[in-house]
């Protein structure tokens, strides 16, 4: 099943997997035995961290990112590989993060 978005790998003609920036051929291989099982029988896959609005909701696997004090959760063995931004159902923007270093700031307020 395709997500109707092209794979981010330069020159790739295939569509990205659902909720992923790459097709099944170019998706980075996860560490063996790590993460949750991805849909469609594609093997181990870590669930994404999801921050959504309307009211602020933050979703993540607290087994993968345990509390690290002062309102933080961390896992030194994980790196960010991409960031997907979808504003009100518009075409998602996907940013590849090759070195894992990125800061995303989300500003919020009362309605």
């Amino acid at each position: 099943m395709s997500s109707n978005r092209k794979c981010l790998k330069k020159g790739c003609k295939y569509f990205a997997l659902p909720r992923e920036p790459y097709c099944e051929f170019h998706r980075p291989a996860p560490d063996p035995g790590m993460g949750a099982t991805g849909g469609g029988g594609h093997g181990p896959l870590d669930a994404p961290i999801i921050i959504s609005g309307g009211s602020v909701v933050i979703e993540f696997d607290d087994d993968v990112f345990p509390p690290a004090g002062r309102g933080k959760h961390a896992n030194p063995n994980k790196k960010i590989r991409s960031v997907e931004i979808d504003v009100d159902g518009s075409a998602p923007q996907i940013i590849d993060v090759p070195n894992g270093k990125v800061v995303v700031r989300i500003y919020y307020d009362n309605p």
Side-chain angles (χ1 to χ4, degrees):
M1 171 182 263
S2 77
S3 60
N4 295 323
R5 287 180 295 126
K6 294 287 285 178
C7 174
L8 286 185
K9 179 74 174 179
K10 189 173 185 173
C12 182
K13 63 182 180 180
Y14 298 105
F15 287 105
L17 293 169
R19 296 178 302 281
E20 292 225 26
Y22 298 99
C23 69
E24 63 183 300
F25 302 107
H26 297 113
R27 185 177 84 195
D31 297 334
M34 298 296 289
T37 300
H42 293 291
L45 177 66
D46 285 329
I49 298 167
I50 300 171
I51 302 171
S52 57
S55 59
V56 177
V57 177
I58 302 171
E59 299 175 47
F60 61 91
D61 186 338
D62 54 3
D63 289 334
V64 174
F65 298 100
R70 295 186 171 189
K72 295 181 180 182
H73 292 254
N75 184 330
N77 298 317
K78 300 293 179 186
K79 283 188 176 180
I80 295 171
R81 61 183 166 131
S82 64
V83 177
E84 179 175 338
I85 302 169
D86 184 342
V87 178
D88 201 21
S90 64
Q93 295 180 29
I94 300 171
I95 302 165
D96 192 27
V97 183
N99 64 4
K101 296 179 182 179
V102 64
V103 175
V104 177
R105 289 180 179 85
I106 299 173
Y107 299 93
Y108 57 92
D109 200 350
N110 295 334

